[in-house]
Amino acid sequence: DWEMPGVDGIELATMLKNQQSTSEIPVIICTGVMTTSEHLSVALRSGAMDYIRKPIDRVELIARAKSMLYTSDTRKSIKEKLRIIEEDNVFIQALVENIPHPFVYYNIEGIIQSFNQRFCDFANCSKETLQGRSIYKYFETLGLNCYLDEDKKLIDERTEISFEYSLKGNDYLFTKSLFFG
């Protein structure tokens, strides 16, 4: 209730949201006096997930509580899945970094998604420069114009391909594989 003695509902919601152990508790603020849009805004900023006016209708309260609990459970589930994905990404990045050759992963449009430090060294670029950049534009500046042609061939044939290319006075063997996730 917004109008509680001592600590009001807004202060209590704020305190709950500011403590890690209680921050996930869903809060509905109820009031019979503070009923304007501005009051609703204050309640939501305090951390309340919903707002209900007095007199409280029993059916409406139950419906909102069920909805809030469902939303809360869904948020917990999503957070857990995100935690697992982040752990997997750390593991995958560790694997990528330990590949002994330059490695780059890019999407079907040619936008770089991931790479290892050896690729940065090969490309003579920083990680910030490469992330999200088109692989084709980068290789065009190195004179590797056949790269796009080889990718088209890879997509059409859907088979792993290898090709040799001389670059910066060295011969390189490029190996490419499609990955469908």
Side-chain angles (χ1 to χ4, degrees):
D1 195 329
W2 191 312
E3 302 94 14
M4 297 189 303
V7 175
D8 70 31
I10 298 299
E11 291 171 313
L12 181 58
T14 302
M15 289 182 338
L16 288 171
K17 296 305 172 182
N18 287 334
Q19 294 181 31
Q20 186 176 2
S21 62
T22 57
S23 65
E24 295 296 319
I25 295 174
V27 174
I28 299 174
I29 296 285
C30 60
T31 182
V33 178
M34 314 299 191
T35 59
T36 68
S37 293
E38 292 80 26
H39 292 120
L40 171 61
S41 179
V42 169
L44 295 175
R45 281 196 313 268
S46 76
M49 290 180 69
D50 206 345
Y51 178 94
I52 192 167
R53 291 181 176 99
K54 292 180 182 178
I56 296 173
D57 179 79
R58 185 176 188 270
V59 174
E60 181 183 9
L61 179 60
I62 290 170
R64 288 184 188 229
K66 282 183 177 182
S67 175
M68 187 166 304
L69 291 172
Y70 175 77
T71 301
S72 181
D73 288 345
T74 302
R75 285 180 60 170
K76 285 178 190 173
S77 176
I78 289 170
K79 280 186 173 187
E80 176 60 16
K81 288 175 182 174
L82 179 60
R83 185 192 62 75
I84 291 168
I85 289 169
E86 287 171 346
E87 285 178 6
D88 288 349
N89 283 343
V90 168
F91 176 72
I92 291 168
Q93 193 58 41
L95 287 175
V96 167
E97 280 302 326
N98 284 295
I99 295 172
H101 307 287
F103 171 86
V104 62
Y105 166 74
Y106 53 94
N107 64 19
I108 201 83
E109 289 84 28
I111 304 300
I112 297 172
Q113 304 294 306
S114 184
F115 46 88
N116 63 9
Q117 184 60 47
R118 288 173 186 82
F119 185 77
C120 289
D121 297 342
F122 165 79
N124 196 27
C125 288
S126 69
K127 288 184 177 192
E128 297 77 27
T129 304
L130 290 171
Q131 189 69 42
R133 188 172 180 189
S134 169
I135 191 79
Y136 304 119
K137 288 182 181 176
Y138 171 73
F139 278 127
E140 283 173 5
T141 63
L142 293 176
L144 230 169
N145 297 326
C146 67
Y147 215 75
L148 179 59
D149 295 335
E150 292 296 332
D151 275 1
K152 287 178 184 173
K153 182 175 161 185
L154 174 69
I155 292 166
D156 291 343
E157 296 176 10
R158 297 199 182 273
T159 181
E160 187 173 287
I161 61 171
S162 295
F163 63 96
E164 291 185 34
Y165 202 84
S166 186
L167 184 65
K168 297 182 182 177
N170 295 308
D171 290 331
Y172 289 93
L173 176 64
F174 290 89
T175 304
K176 296 173 169 241
S177 299
L178 276 178
F179 173 76
F180 296 98

